[in-house]
PDB file of all heavy atoms in Angstrom:
ATOM      1  N   LYS A 116      93.808  43.035 103.830  1.00  0.00           N
ATOM      2  CA  LYS A 116      94.118  43.644 102.470  1.00  0.00           C
ATOM      3  C   LYS A 116      95.610  43.507 102.126  1.00  0.00           C
ATOM      4  O   LYS A 116      95.979  43.026 101.042  1.00  0.00           O
ATOM      5  CB  LYS A 116      93.714  45.097 102.468  1.00  0.00           C
ATOM      6  CG  LYS A 116      93.898  45.751 101.079  1.00  0.00           C
ATOM      7  CD  LYS A 116      93.665  47.262 101.088  1.00  0.00           C
ATOM      8  CE  LYS A 116      94.886  47.947 101.698  1.00  0.00           C
ATOM      9  NZ  LYS A 116      94.782  49.395 101.597  1.00  0.00           N
ATOM     10  N   GLU A 117      96.437  43.901 103.085  1.00  0.00           N
ATOM     11  CA  GLU A 117      97.889  43.787 102.831  1.00  0.00           C
ATOM     12  C   GLU A 117      98.388  42.385 102.684  1.00  0.00           C
ATOM     13  O   GLU A 117      99.240  42.053 101.818  1.00  0.00           O
ATOM     14  CB  GLU A 117      98.587  44.468 103.971  1.00  0.00           C
ATOM     15  CG  GLU A 117      98.458  46.015 104.030  1.00  0.00           C
ATOM     16  CD  GLU A 117      99.015  46.649 105.148  1.00  0.00           C
ATOM     17  OE1 GLU A 117      99.575  45.886 106.101  1.00  0.00           O
ATOM     18  OE2 GLU A 117      99.072  47.942 105.310  1.00  0.00           O
ATOM     19  N   GLY A 118      97.735  41.480 103.461  1.00  0.00           N
ATOM     20  CA  GLY A 118      98.112  40.024 103.338  1.00  0.00           C
ATOM     21  C   GLY A 118      97.759  39.520 101.980  1.00  0.00           C
ATOM     22  O   GLY A 118      98.552  38.735 101.399  1.00  0.00           O
ATOM     23  N   ILE A 119      96.523  39.854 101.530  1.00  0.00           N
ATOM     24  CA  ILE A 119      96.061  39.338 100.211  1.00  0.00           C
ATOM     25  C   ILE A 119      96.968  39.885  99.110  1.00  0.00           C
ATOM     26  O   ILE A 119      97.376  39.121  98.173  1.00  0.00           O
ATOM     27  CB  ILE A 119      94.582  39.714  99.963  1.00  0.00           C
ATOM     28  CG1 ILE A 119      93.720  38.921 100.988  1.00  0.00           C
ATOM     29  CG2 ILE A 119      94.208  39.467  98.543  1.00  0.00           C
ATOM     30  CD1 ILE A 119      92.254  39.287 100.871  1.00  0.00           C
ATOM     31  N   ILE A 120      97.266  41.145  99.137  1.00  0.00           N
ATOM     32  CA  ILE A 120      98.143  41.758  98.119  1.00  0.00           C
ATOM     33  C   ILE A 120      99.452  41.044  98.123  1.00  0.00           C
ATOM     34  O   ILE A 120      99.997  40.811  96.988  1.00  0.00           O
ATOM     35  CB  ILE A 120      98.333  43.270  98.433  1.00  0.00           C
ATOM     36  CG1 ILE A 120      97.051  44.067  98.208  1.00  0.00           C
ATOM     37  CG2 ILE A 120      99.453  43.838  97.512  1.00  0.00           C
ATOM     38  CD1 ILE A 120      97.066  45.476  98.625  1.00  0.00           C
ATOM     39  N   SER A 121     100.006  40.833  99.236  1.00  0.00           N
ATOM     40  CA  SER A 121     101.319  40.150  99.404  1.00  0.00           C
ATOM     41  C   SER A 121     101.232  38.747  98.773  1.00  0.00           C
ATOM     42  O   SER A 121     102.143  38.266  98.027  1.00  0.00           O
ATOM     43  CB  SER A 121     101.781  40.075 100.807  1.00  0.00           C
ATOM     44  OG  SER A 121     102.987  39.413 100.907  1.00  0.00           O
ATOM     45  N   SER A 122     100.157  37.996  99.083  1.00  0.00           N
ATOM     46  CA  SER A 122      99.910  36.664  98.538  1.00  0.00           C
ATOM     47  C   SER A 122      99.828  36.586  97.069  1.00  0.00           C
ATOM     48  O   SER A 122     100.359  35.782  96.346  1.00  0.00           O
ATOM     49  CB  SER A 122      98.723  36.021  99.250  1.00  0.00           C
ATOM     50  OG  SER A 122      98.888  35.924 100.643  1.00  0.00           O
ATOM     51  N   LEU A 123      99.011  37.524  96.568  1.00  0.00           N
ATOM     52  CA  LEU A 123      98.769  37.593  95.093  1.00  0.00           C
ATOM     53  C   LEU A 123     100.069  37.906  94.371  1.00  0.00           C
ATOM     54  O   LEU A 123     100.336  37.413  93.297  1.00  0.00           O
ATOM     55  CB  LEU A 123      97.699  38.654  94.777  1.00  0.00           C
ATOM     56  CG  LEU A 123      96.262  38.275  95.215  1.00  0.00           C
ATOM     57  CD1 LEU A 123      95.343  39.443  94.993  1.00  0.00           C
ATOM     58  CD2 LEU A 123      95.822  37.037  94.482  1.00  0.00           C
ATOM     59  N   LYS A 124     100.908  38.831  94.956  1.00  0.00           N
ATOM     60  CA  LYS A 124     102.163  39.167  94.364  1.00  0.00           C
ATOM     61  C   LYS A 124     103.003  37.883  94.350  1.00  0.00           C
ATOM     62  O   LYS A 124     103.768  37.663  93.367  1.00  0.00           O
ATOM     63  CB  LYS A 124     102.855  40.293  95.096  1.00  0.00           C
ATOM     64  CG  LYS A 124     102.291  41.633  94.803  1.00  0.00           C
ATOM     65  CD  LYS A 124     103.047  42.711  95.630  1.00  0.00           C
ATOM     66  CE  LYS A 124     102.522  44.130  95.341  1.00  0.00           C
ATOM     67  NZ  LYS A 124     103.184  45.196  96.136  1.00  0.00           N
ATOM     68  N   GLY A 125     102.978  37.132  95.435  1.00  0.00           N
ATOM     69  CA  GLY A 125     103.755  35.939  95.512  1.00  0.00           C
ATOM     70  C   GLY A 125     103.309  34.908  94.466  1.00  0.00           C
ATOM     71  O   GLY A 125     104.159  34.258  93.799  1.00  0.00           O
ATOM     72  N   ILE A 126     101.975  34.803  94.204  1.00  0.00           N
ATOM     73  CA  ILE A 126     101.462  33.883  93.206  1.00  0.00           C
ATOM     74  C   ILE A 126     101.895  34.251  91.818  1.00  0.00           C
ATOM     75  O   ILE A 126     102.273  33.467  91.039  1.00  0.00           O
ATOM     76  CB  ILE A 126      99.955  33.858  93.300  1.00  0.00           C
ATOM     77  CG1 ILE A 126      99.430  33.172  94.580  1.00  0.00           C
ATOM     78  CG2 ILE A 126      99.303  33.128  92.109  1.00  0.00           C
ATOM     79  CD1 ILE A 126      97.940  33.250  94.846  1.00  0.00           C
ATOM     80  N   ASN A 127     101.874  35.582  91.561  1.00  0.00           N
ATOM     81  CA  ASN A 127     102.309  36.059  90.230  1.00  0.00           C
ATOM     82  C   ASN A 127     103.749  35.735  90.038  1.00  0.00           C
ATOM     83  O   ASN A 127     104.194  35.391  88.867  1.00  0.00           O
ATOM     84  CB  ASN A 127     102.059  37.554  90.128  1.00  0.00           C
ATOM     85  CG  ASN A 127     100.568  37.993  90.022  1.00  0.00           C
ATOM     86  OD1 ASN A 127      99.841  37.097  89.561  1.00  0.00           O
ATOM     87  ND2 ASN A 127     100.280  39.222  90.414  1.00  0.00           N
ATOM     88  N   GLU A 128     104.596  35.900  91.025  1.00  0.00           N
ATOM     89  CA  GLU A 128     105.974  35.594  90.915  1.00  0.00           C
ATOM     90  C   GLU A 128     106.185  34.104  90.664  1.00  0.00           C
ATOM     91  O   GLU A 128     107.054  33.682  89.889  1.00  0.00           O
ATOM     92  CB  GLU A 128     106.702  35.996  92.135  1.00  0.00           C
ATOM     93  CG  GLU A 128     106.803  37.494  92.344  1.00  0.00           C
ATOM     94  CD  GLU A 128     107.425  37.968  93.708  1.00  0.00           C
ATOM     95  OE1 GLU A 128     107.751  37.053  94.459  1.00  0.00           O
ATOM     96  OE2 GLU A 128     107.561  39.143  93.919  1.00  0.00           O
ATOM     97  N   ILE A 129     105.454  33.288  91.378  1.00  0.00           N
ATOM     98  CA  ILE A 129     105.514  31.776  91.218  1.00  0.00           C
ATOM     99  C   ILE A 129     105.158  31.429  89.744  1.00  0.00           C
ATOM    100  O   ILE A 129     105.823  30.645  89.152  1.00  0.00           O
ATOM    101  CB  ILE A 129     104.658  31.075  92.256  1.00  0.00           C
ATOM    102  CG1 ILE A 129     105.238  31.260  93.618  1.00  0.00           C
ATOM    103  CG2 ILE A 129     104.596  29.606  91.867  1.00  0.00           C
ATOM    104  CD1 ILE A 129     104.273  30.698  94.693  1.00  0.00           C
ATOM    105  N   GLU A 130     104.032  32.022  89.259  1.00  0.00           N
ATOM    106  CA  GLU A 130     103.619  31.661  87.946  1.00  0.00           C
ATOM    107  C   GLU A 130     104.622  32.177  86.894  1.00  0.00           C
ATOM    108  O   GLU A 130     104.870  31.416  85.912  1.00  0.00           O
ATOM    109  CB  GLU A 130     102.257  32.341  87.664  1.00  0.00           C
ATOM    110  CG  GLU A 130     101.144  31.694  88.461  1.00  0.00           C
ATOM    111  CD  GLU A 130      99.733  32.328  88.115  1.00  0.00           C
ATOM    112  OE1 GLU A 130      99.755  33.454  87.642  1.00  0.00           O
ATOM    113  OE2 GLU A 130      98.758  31.688  88.327  1.00  0.00           O
TER     114      GLU A 130
END
Side-chain angles (χ1 to χ4, degrees):
K116 182 188 77 173
E117 292 175 350
I119 291 175
I120 290 174
S121 177
S122 297
L123 291 176
K124 285 182 178 179
I126 291 173
N127 290 336
E128 291 174 359
I129 292 172
E130 290 184 337

